[in-house]
Amino acid sequence: MAASAALSSCASPAGQLTANEVPDQATDTPASPGGPDYGDGQYSAEGQYGGLPSSIGVTVTLAADIVTDVSVTPHATDPTSLDLQKRFAAAVPSVVVGRDLDEINVDRLAGSSGTPQGFNAALERIKAQANR
């Protein structure tokens, strides 16, 4: 019975178009006009992470959606966290410079497992700032 309920919920209500019935002009229009999605320039944001909010500052320079420069500013006060943030800051340019902003999602890097979460959060804010 659960399977039939799931199947019946997939059916299109009468009078509504299905994906195959969408007018041609709607399907032929690209999501992006083919140019960059983000404005060229330098953007900065804070990225928070962890149970006890830690944060880092991130500054990215973009040209045609490509990261041409990145810097990370550690904010930790705990010596161990500060060391991890500094190591992350030193390692991240080699991972992100030259890549399309939408393709970047940094995972564990330079021994740091939390700092990348803050970095990725900052990138999401930067995307919102730079979005055309």
Side-chain angles (χ1 to χ4, degrees):
M1 183 164 257
S4 65
L7 290 174
S8 66
S9 68
C10 294
S12 296
Q16 287 189 349
L17 297 175
T18 66
N20 293 333
E21 298 171 322
V22 174
D24 287 342
Q25 77 184 69
T27 57
D28 292 341
T29 304
S32 171
D37 295 325
Y38 303 106
D40 291 353
Q42 188 176 67
Y43 302 91
S44 296
E46 297 294 312
Q48 291 193 339
Y49 62 96
L52 296 172
S54 296
S55 69
I56 57 168
V58 177
T59 299
V60 171
T61 303
L62 296 175
D65 293 353
I66 303 298
V67 175
T68 60
D69 191 33
V70 63
S71 65
V72 173
T73 305
H75 293 167
T77 55
D78 173 75
T80 301
S81 296
L82 183 59
D83 179 56
L84 288 169
Q85 286 185 355
K86 284 180 177 179
R87 290 182 3 204
F88 178 88
V92 80
S94 66
V95 175
V96 302
V97 171
R99 293 189 53 202
D100 187 292
L101 182 61
D102 283 330
E103 295 175 0
I104 299 171
N105 184 21
V106 179
D107 202 2
R108 187 177 183 97
L109 180 65
S112 182
S113 59
T115 308
Q117 294 170 6
F119 181 81
N120 292 331
L123 284 186
E124 290 304 312
R125 288 188 175 107
I126 287 169
K127 287 177 186 180
Q129 291 173 28
N131 194 16
R132 291 183 177 217

PDB file of all heavy atoms in Angstrom, residues 66-104:
ATOM      1  N   ILE A  66      36.945  32.541 -11.967  1.00  0.00           N
ATOM      2  CA  ILE A  66      38.131  31.798 -11.539  1.00  0.00           C
ATOM      3  C   ILE A  66      38.779  32.527 -10.361  1.00  0.00           C
ATOM      4  O   ILE A  66      38.947  33.748 -10.388  1.00  0.00           O
ATOM      5  CB  ILE A  66      39.153  31.663 -12.689  1.00  0.00           C
ATOM      6  CG1 ILE A  66      38.509  30.990 -13.911  1.00  0.00           C
ATOM      7  CG2 ILE A  66      40.407  30.926 -12.246  1.00  0.00           C
ATOM      8  CD1 ILE A  66      38.010  29.576 -13.660  1.00  0.00           C
ATOM      9  N   VAL A  67      39.150  31.759  -9.343  1.00  0.00           N
ATOM     10  CA  VAL A  67      39.850  32.329  -8.197  1.00  0.00           C
ATOM     11  C   VAL A  67      41.289  32.605  -8.623  1.00  0.00           C
ATOM     12  O   VAL A  67      42.020  31.689  -9.000  1.00  0.00           O
ATOM     13  CB  VAL A  67      39.820  31.368  -6.989  1.00  0.00           C
ATOM     14  CG1 VAL A  67      40.657  31.906  -5.843  1.00  0.00           C
ATOM     15  CG2 VAL A  67      38.388  31.118  -6.543  1.00  0.00           C
ATOM     16  N   THR A  68      41.675  33.874  -8.589  1.00  0.00           N
ATOM     17  CA  THR A  68      43.037  34.244  -8.969  1.00  0.00           C
ATOM     18  C   THR A  68      43.915  34.490  -7.754  1.00  0.00           C
ATOM     19  O   THR A  68      45.138  34.502  -7.866  1.00  0.00           O
ATOM     20  CB  THR A  68      43.043  35.502  -9.864  1.00  0.00           C
ATOM     21  OG1 THR A  68      42.450  36.589  -9.146  1.00  0.00           O
ATOM     22  CG2 THR A  68      42.284  35.234 -11.165  1.00  0.00           C
ATOM     23  N   ASP A  69      43.284  34.689  -6.588  1.00  0.00           N
ATOM     24  CA  ASP A  69      44.036  34.881  -5.351  1.00  0.00           C
ATOM     25  C   ASP A  69      43.108  34.569  -4.187  1.00  0.00           C
ATOM     26  O   ASP A  69      41.887  34.772  -4.276  1.00  0.00           O
ATOM     27  CB  ASP A  69      44.547  36.316  -5.253  1.00  0.00           C
ATOM     28  CG  ASP A  69      45.560  36.506  -4.126  1.00  0.00           C
ATOM     29  OD1 ASP A  69      46.327  35.565  -3.841  1.00  0.00           O
ATOM     30  OD2 ASP A  69      45.572  37.599  -3.519  1.00  0.00           O
ATOM     31  N   VAL A  70      43.678  34.074  -3.107  1.00  0.00           N
ATOM     32  CA  VAL A  70      42.911  33.790  -1.897  1.00  0.00           C
ATOM     33  C   VAL A  70      43.807  34.014  -0.693  1.00  0.00           C
ATOM     34  O   VAL A  70      45.006  33.735  -0.741  1.00  0.00           O
ATOM     35  CB  VAL A  70      42.343  32.349  -1.896  1.00  0.00           C
ATOM     36  CG1 VAL A  70      43.449  31.304  -1.902  1.00  0.00           C
ATOM     37  CG2 VAL A  70      41.416  32.127  -0.713  1.00  0.00           C
ATOM     38  N   SER A  71      43.224  34.549   0.358  1.00  0.00           N
ATOM     39  CA  SER A  71      43.950  34.650   1.619  1.00  0.00           C
ATOM     40  C   SER A  71      42.991  34.311   2.753  1.00  0.00           C
ATOM     41  O   SER A  71      41.787  34.574   2.669  1.00  0.00           O
ATOM     42  CB  SER A  71      44.555  36.042   1.814  1.00  0.00           C
ATOM     43  OG  SER A  71      43.542  37.011   1.934  1.00  0.00           O
ATOM     44  N   VAL A  72      43.542  33.708   3.780  1.00  0.00           N
ATOM     45  CA  VAL A  72      42.769  33.308   4.957  1.00  0.00           C
ATOM     46  C   VAL A  72      43.394  33.985   6.163  1.00  0.00           C
ATOM     47  O   VAL A  72      44.607  33.930   6.352  1.00  0.00           O
ATOM     48  CB  VAL A  72      42.780  31.772   5.130  1.00  0.00           C
ATOM     49  CG1 VAL A  72      42.120  31.363   6.432  1.00  0.00           C
ATOM     50  CG2 VAL A  72      42.097  31.105   3.944  1.00  0.00           C
ATOM     51  N   THR A  73      42.548  34.617   6.970  1.00  0.00           N
ATOM     52  CA  THR A  73      43.004  35.283   8.181  1.00  0.00           C
ATOM     53  C   THR A  73      42.540  34.479   9.387  1.00  0.00           C
ATOM     54  O   THR A  73      41.329  34.416   9.664  1.00  0.00           O
ATOM     55  CB  THR A  73      42.430  36.712   8.262  1.00  0.00           C
ATOM     56  OG1 THR A  73      42.790  37.406   7.070  1.00  0.00           O
ATOM     57  CG2 THR A  73      42.958  37.442   9.475  1.00  0.00           C
ATOM     58  N   PRO A  74      43.471  33.843  10.100  1.00  0.00           N
ATOM     59  CA  PRO A  74      43.097  33.089  11.307  1.00  0.00           C
ATOM     60  C   PRO A  74      42.587  34.021  12.400  1.00  0.00           C
ATOM     61  O   PRO A  74      43.087  35.136  12.558  1.00  0.00           O
ATOM     62  CB  PRO A  74      44.406  32.433  11.732  1.00  0.00           C
ATOM     63  CG  PRO A  74      45.271  32.442  10.513  1.00  0.00           C
ATOM     64  CD  PRO A  74      44.883  33.687   9.773  1.00  0.00           C
ATOM     65  N   HIS A  75      41.583  33.548  13.138  1.00  0.00           N
ATOM     66  CA  HIS A  75      41.032  34.315  14.250  1.00  0.00           C
ATOM     67  C   HIS A  75      41.140  33.574  15.574  1.00  0.00           C
ATOM     68  O   HIS A  75      40.686  34.091  16.592  1.00  0.00           O
ATOM     69  CB  HIS A  75      39.566  34.652  14.003  1.00  0.00           C
ATOM     70  CG  HIS A  75      39.360  35.589  12.865  1.00  0.00           C
ATOM     71  ND1 HIS A  75      38.126  35.804  12.319  1.00  0.00           N
ATOM     72  CD2 HIS A  75      40.201  36.373  12.152  1.00  0.00           C
ATOM     73  CE1 HIS A  75      38.215  36.674  11.335  1.00  0.00           C
ATOM     74  NE2 HIS A  75      39.472  37.025  11.206  1.00  0.00           N
ATOM     75  N   ALA A  76      41.669  32.375  15.573  1.00  0.00           N
ATOM     76  CA  ALA A  76      41.712  31.565  16.789  1.00  0.00           C
ATOM     77  C   ALA A  76      42.615  32.198  17.842  1.00  0.00           C
ATOM     78  O   ALA A  76      43.611  32.848  17.521  1.00  0.00           O
ATOM     79  CB  ALA A  76      42.201  30.157  16.458  1.00  0.00           C
ATOM     80  N   THR A  77      42.259  31.978  19.098  1.00  0.00           N
ATOM     81  CA  THR A  77      43.095  32.438  20.212  1.00  0.00           C
ATOM     82  C   THR A  77      43.764  31.258  20.905  1.00  0.00           C
ATOM     83  O   THR A  77      44.824  31.422  21.505  1.00  0.00           O
ATOM     84  CB  THR A  77      42.257  33.238  21.234  1.00  0.00           C
ATOM     85  OG1 THR A  77      41.155  32.446  21.661  1.00  0.00           O
ATOM     86  CG2 THR A  77      41.747  34.531  20.604  1.00  0.00           C
ATOM     87  N   ASP A  78      43.163  30.090  20.820  1.00  0.00           N
ATOM     88  CA  ASP A  78      43.755  28.878  21.367  1.00  0.00           C
ATOM     89  C   ASP A  78      44.975  28.510  20.525  1.00  0.00           C
ATOM     90  O   ASP A  78      44.878  28.478  19.283  1.00  0.00           O
ATOM     91  CB  ASP A  78      42.726  27.738  21.332  1.00  0.00           C
ATOM     92  CG  ASP A  78      43.315  26.409  21.716  1.00  0.00           C
ATOM     93  OD1 ASP A  78      43.559  26.184  22.913  1.00  0.00           O
ATOM     94  OD2 ASP A  78      43.558  25.599  20.781  1.00  0.00           O
ATOM     95  N   PRO A  79      46.132  28.243  21.141  1.00  0.00           N
ATOM     96  CA  PRO A  79      47.348  27.966  20.365  1.00  0.00           C
ATOM     97  C   PRO A  79      47.215  26.804  19.372  1.00  0.00           C
ATOM     98  O   PRO A  79      47.710  26.889  18.252  1.00  0.00           O
ATOM     99  CB  PRO A  79      48.399  27.667  21.429  1.00  0.00           C
ATOM    100  CG  PRO A  79      47.900  28.321  22.674  1.00  0.00           C
ATOM    101  CD  PRO A  79      46.410  28.281  22.583  1.00  0.00           C
ATOM    102  N   THR A  80      46.543  25.736  19.762  1.00  0.00           N
ATOM    103  CA  THR A  80      46.394  24.589  18.862  1.00  0.00           C
ATOM    104  C   THR A  80      45.518  24.961  17.669  1.00  0.00           C
ATOM    105  O   THR A  80      45.853  24.676  16.518  1.00  0.00           O
ATOM    106  CB  THR A  80      45.789  23.382  19.604  1.00  0.00           C
ATOM    107  OG1 THR A  80      46.651  23.052  20.694  1.00  0.00           O
ATOM    108  CG2 THR A  80      45.632  22.180  18.692  1.00  0.00           C
ATOM    109  N   SER A  81      44.394  25.618  17.934  1.00  0.00           N
ATOM    110  CA  SER A  81      43.500  26.035  16.854  1.00  0.00           C
ATOM    111  C   SER A  81      44.185  27.050  15.946  1.00  0.00           C
ATOM    112  O   SER A  81      44.036  26.989  14.722  1.00  0.00           O
ATOM    113  CB  SER A  81      42.213  26.646  17.424  1.00  0.00           C
ATOM    114  OG  SER A  81      41.493  25.684  18.151  1.00  0.00           O
ATOM    115  N   LEU A  82      44.923  27.974  16.534  1.00  0.00           N
ATOM    116  CA  LEU A  82      45.622  28.982  15.747  1.00  0.00           C
ATOM    117  C   LEU A  82      46.643  28.331  14.827  1.00  0.00           C
ATOM    118  O   LEU A  82      46.754  28.690  13.653  1.00  0.00           O
ATOM    119  CB  LEU A  82      46.294  30.012  16.662  1.00  0.00           C
ATOM    120  CG  LEU A  82      47.011  31.161  15.957  1.00  0.00           C
ATOM    121  CD1 LEU A  82      46.054  31.944  15.068  1.00  0.00           C
ATOM    122  CD2 LEU A  82      47.664  32.071  16.993  1.00  0.00           C
ATOM    123  N   ASP A  83      47.361  27.339  15.345  1.00  0.00           N
ATOM    124  CA  ASP A  83      48.332  26.621  14.518  1.00  0.00           C
ATOM    125  C   ASP A  83      47.648  25.932  13.342  1.00  0.00           C
ATOM    126  O   ASP A  83      48.124  26.008  12.203  1.00  0.00           O
ATOM    127  CB  ASP A  83      49.096  25.596  15.358  1.00  0.00           C
ATOM    128  CG  ASP A  83      50.102  24.814  14.537  1.00  0.00           C
ATOM    129  OD1 ASP A  83      50.977  25.450  13.897  1.00  0.00           O
ATOM    130  OD2 ASP A  83      50.005  23.567  14.514  1.00  0.00           O
ATOM    131  N   LEU A  84      46.505  25.280  13.592  1.00  0.00           N
ATOM    132  CA  LEU A  84      45.773  24.602  12.516  1.00  0.00           C
ATOM    133  C   LEU A  84      45.265  25.609  11.487  1.00  0.00           C
ATOM    134  O   LEU A  84      45.341  25.367  10.279  1.00  0.00           O
ATOM    135  CB  LEU A  84      44.610  23.787  13.086  1.00  0.00           C
ATOM    136  CG  LEU A  84      45.005  22.519  13.832  1.00  0.00           C
ATOM    137  CD1 LEU A  84      43.822  21.938  14.584  1.00  0.00           C
ATOM    138  CD2 LEU A  84      45.594  21.496  12.874  1.00  0.00           C
ATOM    139  N   GLN A  85      44.758  26.751  11.949  1.00  0.00           N
ATOM    140  CA  GLN A  85      44.271  27.764  11.019  1.00  0.00           C
ATOM    141  C   GLN A  85      45.416  28.334  10.179  1.00  0.00           C
ATOM    142  O   GLN A  85      45.253  28.569   8.986  1.00  0.00           O
ATOM    143  CB  GLN A  85      43.543  28.886  11.760  1.00  0.00           C
ATOM    144  CG  GLN A  85      42.180  28.488  12.256  1.00  0.00           C
ATOM    145  CD  GLN A  85      41.428  29.652  12.885  1.00  0.00           C
ATOM    146  OE1 GLN A  85      41.942  30.751  13.046  1.00  0.00           O
ATOM    147  NE2 GLN A  85      40.172  29.400  13.247  1.00  0.00           N
ATOM    148  N   LYS A  86      46.570  28.537  10.801  1.00  0.00           N
ATOM    149  CA  LYS A  86      47.721  29.065  10.052  1.00  0.00           C
ATOM    150  C   LYS A  86      48.200  28.061   9.004  1.00  0.00           C
ATOM    151  O   LYS A  86      48.528  28.440   7.878  1.00  0.00           O
ATOM    152  CB  LYS A  86      48.862  29.413  11.005  1.00  0.00           C
ATOM    153  CG  LYS A  86      48.638  30.687  11.779  1.00  0.00           C
ATOM    154  CD  LYS A  86      49.821  30.969  12.705  1.00  0.00           C
ATOM    155  CE  LYS A  86      49.655  32.273  13.442  1.00  0.00           C
ATOM    156  NZ  LYS A  86      50.792  32.545  14.356  1.00  0.00           N
ATOM    157  N   ARG A  87      48.233  26.790   9.364  1.00  0.00           N
ATOM    158  CA  ARG A  87      48.640  25.762   8.397  1.00  0.00           C
ATOM    159  C   ARG A  87      47.637  25.675   7.249  1.00  0.00           C
ATOM    160  O   ARG A  87      48.013  25.533   6.089  1.00  0.00           O
ATOM    161  CB  ARG A  87      48.819  24.413   9.097  1.00  0.00           C
ATOM    162  CG  ARG A  87      50.033  24.426  10.006  1.00  0.00           C
ATOM    163  CD  ARG A  87      50.354  23.151  10.734  1.00  0.00           C
ATOM    164  NE  ARG A  87      49.521  21.996  10.472  1.00  0.00           N
ATOM    165  CZ  ARG A  87      49.371  20.988  11.319  1.00  0.00           C
ATOM    166  NH1 ARG A  87      49.984  20.990  12.461  1.00  0.00           N
ATOM    167  NH2 ARG A  87      48.611  19.972  11.010  1.00  0.00           N
ATOM    168  N   PHE A  88      46.362  25.757   7.587  1.00  0.00           N
ATOM    169  CA  PHE A  88      45.325  25.750   6.561  1.00  0.00           C
ATOM    170  C   PHE A  88      45.504  26.949   5.634  1.00  0.00           C
ATOM    171  O   PHE A  88      45.462  26.812   4.414  1.00  0.00           O
ATOM    172  CB  PHE A  88      43.938  25.779   7.214  1.00  0.00           C
ATOM    173  CG  PHE A  88      42.809  25.825   6.222  1.00  0.00           C
ATOM    174  CD1 PHE A  88      42.274  24.647   5.712  1.00  0.00           C
ATOM    175  CD2 PHE A  88      42.289  27.032   5.784  1.00  0.00           C
ATOM    176  CE1 PHE A  88      41.246  24.681   4.792  1.00  0.00           C
ATOM    177  CE2 PHE A  88      41.254  27.078   4.865  1.00  0.00           C
ATOM    178  CZ  PHE A  88      40.729  25.902   4.365  1.00  0.00           C
ATOM    179  N   ALA A  89      45.700  28.133   6.222  1.00  0.00           N
ATOM    180  CA  ALA A  89      45.863  29.365   5.435  1.00  0.00           C
ATOM    181  C   ALA A  89      47.036  29.262   4.467  1.00  0.00           C
ATOM    182  O   ALA A  89      46.964  29.763   3.344  1.00  0.00           O
ATOM    183  CB  ALA A  89      46.045  30.561   6.371  1.00  0.00           C
ATOM    184  N   ALA A  90      48.101  28.601   4.887  1.00  0.00           N
ATOM    185  CA  ALA A  90      49.269  28.441   4.023  1.00  0.00           C
ATOM    186  C   ALA A  90      49.020  27.436   2.899  1.00  0.00           C
ATOM    187  O   ALA A  90      49.554  27.579   1.799  1.00  0.00           O
ATOM    188  CB  ALA A  90      50.474  28.010   4.859  1.00  0.00           C
ATOM    189  N   ALA A  91      48.190  26.430   3.163  1.00  0.00           N
ATOM    190  CA  ALA A  91      47.970  25.356   2.191  1.00  0.00           C
ATOM    191  C   ALA A  91      46.848  25.638   1.195  1.00  0.00           C
ATOM    192  O   ALA A  91      46.887  25.138   0.069  1.00  0.00           O
ATOM    193  CB  ALA A  91      47.668  24.050   2.929  1.00  0.00           C
ATOM    194  N   VAL A  92      45.854  26.435   1.573  1.00  0.00           N
ATOM    195  CA  VAL A  92      44.660  26.578   0.742  1.00  0.00           C
ATOM    196  C   VAL A  92      44.912  27.231  -0.625  1.00  0.00           C
ATOM    197  O   VAL A  92      44.271  26.826  -1.605  1.00  0.00           O
ATOM    198  CB  VAL A  92      43.514  27.266   1.518  1.00  0.00           C
ATOM    199  CG1 VAL A  92      43.684  28.769   1.578  1.00  0.00           C
ATOM    200  CG2 VAL A  92      42.161  26.883   0.938  1.00  0.00           C
ATOM    201  N   PRO A  93      45.823  28.187  -0.779  1.00  0.00           N
ATOM    202  CA  PRO A  93      45.997  28.752  -2.135  1.00  0.00           C
ATOM    203  C   PRO A  93      46.356  27.710  -3.193  1.00  0.00           C
ATOM    204  O   PRO A  93      45.845  27.774  -4.320  1.00  0.00           O
ATOM    205  CB  PRO A  93      47.125  29.770  -1.950  1.00  0.00           C
ATOM    206  CG  PRO A  93      47.014  30.179  -0.521  1.00  0.00           C
ATOM    207  CD  PRO A  93      46.618  28.912   0.201  1.00  0.00           C
ATOM    208  N   SER A  94      47.173  26.751  -2.855  1.00  0.00           N
ATOM    209  CA  SER A  94      47.562  25.746  -3.845  1.00  0.00           C
ATOM    210  C   SER A  94      46.402  24.841  -4.241  1.00  0.00           C
ATOM    211  O   SER A  94      46.444  24.193  -5.284  1.00  0.00           O
ATOM    212  CB  SER A  94      48.729  24.900  -3.329  1.00  0.00           C
ATOM    213  OG  SER A  94      48.320  24.124  -2.217  1.00  0.00           O
ATOM    214  N   VAL A  95      45.346  24.839  -3.441  1.00  0.00           N
ATOM    215  CA  VAL A  95      44.188  23.992  -3.718  1.00  0.00           C
ATOM    216  C   VAL A  95      43.096  24.743  -4.484  1.00  0.00           C
ATOM    217  O   VAL A  95      42.359  24.139  -5.257  1.00  0.00           O
ATOM    218  CB  VAL A  95      43.620  23.435  -2.389  1.00  0.00           C
ATOM    219  CG1 VAL A  95      42.351  22.637  -2.601  1.00  0.00           C
ATOM    220  CG2 VAL A  95      44.665  22.593  -1.678  1.00  0.00           C
ATOM    221  N   VAL A  96      42.989  26.070  -4.301  1.00  0.00           N
ATOM    222  CA  VAL A  96      41.857  26.789  -4.892  1.00  0.00           C
ATOM    223  C   VAL A  96      42.216  27.781  -5.999  1.00  0.00           C
ATOM    224  O   VAL A  96      41.373  28.052  -6.859  1.00  0.00           O
ATOM    225  CB  VAL A  96      41.007  27.505  -3.822  1.00  0.00           C
ATOM    226  CG1 VAL A  96      40.495  26.513  -2.803  1.00  0.00           C
ATOM    227  CG2 VAL A  96      41.753  28.618  -3.158  1.00  0.00           C
ATOM    228  N   VAL A  97      43.414  28.328  -6.002  1.00  0.00           N
ATOM    229  CA  VAL A  97      43.777  29.310  -7.032  1.00  0.00           C
ATOM    230  C   VAL A  97      43.801  28.616  -8.399  1.00  0.00           C
ATOM    231  O   VAL A  97      44.349  27.533  -8.559  1.00  0.00           O
ATOM    232  CB  VAL A  97      45.132  29.989  -6.726  1.00  0.00           C
ATOM    233  CG1 VAL A  97      45.608  30.832  -7.898  1.00  0.00           C
ATOM    234  CG2 VAL A  97      45.005  30.850  -5.473  1.00  0.00           C
ATOM    235  N   GLY A  98      43.139  29.259  -9.363  1.00  0.00           N
ATOM    236  CA  GLY A  98      43.060  28.701 -10.714  1.00  0.00           C
ATOM    237  C   GLY A  98      41.810  27.866 -10.952  1.00  0.00           C
ATOM    238  O   GLY A  98      41.591  27.385 -12.055  1.00  0.00           O
ATOM    239  N   ARG A  99      40.979  27.720  -9.927  1.00  0.00           N
ATOM    240  CA  ARG A  99      39.763  26.916 -10.068  1.00  0.00           C
ATOM    241  C   ARG A  99      38.522  27.793 -10.117  1.00  0.00           C
ATOM    242  O   ARG A  99      38.480  28.873  -9.548  1.00  0.00           O
ATOM    243  CB  ARG A  99      39.647  25.938  -8.890  1.00  0.00           C
ATOM    244  CG  ARG A  99      40.761  24.900  -8.938  1.00  0.00           C
ATOM    245  CD  ARG A  99      40.595  23.788  -7.955  1.00  0.00           C
ATOM    246  NE  ARG A  99      39.299  23.147  -8.061  1.00  0.00           N
ATOM    247  CZ  ARG A  99      38.762  22.455  -7.064  1.00  0.00           C
ATOM    248  NH1 ARG A  99      39.381  22.315  -5.915  1.00  0.00           N
ATOM    249  NH2 ARG A  99      37.580  21.895  -7.219  1.00  0.00           N
ATOM    250  N   ASP A 100      37.486  27.279 -10.770  1.00  0.00           N
ATOM    251  CA  ASP A 100      36.193  27.936 -10.821  1.00  0.00           C
ATOM    252  C   ASP A 100      35.594  27.966  -9.414  1.00  0.00           C
ATOM    253  O   ASP A 100      35.628  26.962  -8.696  1.00  0.00           O
ATOM    254  CB  ASP A 100      35.268  27.155 -11.765  1.00  0.00           C
ATOM    255  CG  ASP A 100      33.962  27.863 -12.001  1.00  0.00           C
ATOM    256  OD1 ASP A 100      33.156  27.966 -11.041  1.00  0.00           O
ATOM    257  OD2 ASP A 100      33.727  28.303 -13.132  1.00  0.00           O
ATOM    258  N   LEU A 101      35.052  29.099  -9.020  1.00  0.00           N
ATOM    259  CA  LEU A 101      34.512  29.268  -7.673  1.00  0.00           C
ATOM    260  C   LEU A 101      33.472  28.207  -7.335  1.00  0.00           C
ATOM    261  O   LEU A 101      33.439  27.696  -6.219  1.00  0.00           O
ATOM    262  CB  LEU A 101      33.916  30.675  -7.524  1.00  0.00           C
ATOM    263  CG  LEU A 101      33.346  31.037  -6.160  1.00  0.00           C
ATOM    264  CD1 LEU A 101      34.437  30.985  -5.081  1.00  0.00           C
ATOM    265  CD2 LEU A 101      32.706  32.408  -6.203  1.00  0.00           C
ATOM    266  N   ASP A 102      32.623  27.850  -8.297  1.00  0.00           N
ATOM    267  CA  ASP A 102      31.575  26.862  -8.040  1.00  0.00           C
ATOM    268  C   ASP A 102      32.103  25.441  -7.868  1.00  0.00           C
ATOM    269  O   ASP A 102      31.375  24.568  -7.422  1.00  0.00           O
ATOM    270  CB  ASP A 102      30.528  26.884  -9.151  1.00  0.00           C
ATOM    271  CG  ASP A 102      29.592  28.061  -9.022  1.00  0.00           C
ATOM    272  OD1 ASP A 102      29.348  28.520  -7.885  1.00  0.00           O
ATOM    273  OD2 ASP A 102      29.100  28.537 -10.058  1.00  0.00           O
ATOM    274  N   GLU A 103      33.343  25.187  -8.225  1.00  0.00           N
ATOM    275  CA  GLU A 103      33.912  23.844  -8.104  1.00  0.00           C
ATOM    276  C   GLU A 103      34.662  23.638  -6.792  1.00  0.00           C
ATOM    277  O   GLU A 103      35.141  22.544  -6.528  1.00  0.00           O
ATOM    278  CB  GLU A 103      34.866  23.578  -9.268  1.00  0.00           C
ATOM    279  CG  GLU A 103      34.176  23.543 -10.611  1.00  0.00           C
ATOM    280  CD  GLU A 103      35.156  23.388 -11.756  1.00  0.00           C
ATOM    281  OE1 GLU A 103      36.372  23.298 -11.519  1.00  0.00           O
ATOM    282  OE2 GLU A 103      34.689  23.365 -12.912  1.00  0.00           O
ATOM    283  N   ILE A 104      34.771  24.669  -5.978  1.00  0.00           N
ATOM    284  CA  ILE A 104      35.587  24.588  -4.767  1.00  0.00           C
ATOM    285  C   ILE A 104      34.751  24.138  -3.580  1.00  0.00           C
ATOM    286  O   ILE A 104      33.719  24.725  -3.265  1.00  0.00           O
ATOM    287  CB  ILE A 104      36.250  25.948  -4.462  1.00  0.00           C
ATOM    288  CG1 ILE A 104      37.163  26.342  -5.606  1.00  0.00           C
ATOM    289  CG2 ILE A 104      37.007  25.885  -3.139  1.00  0.00           C
ATOM    290  CD1 ILE A 104      37.693  27.754  -5.524  1.00  0.00           C
TER     291      ILE A 104
END
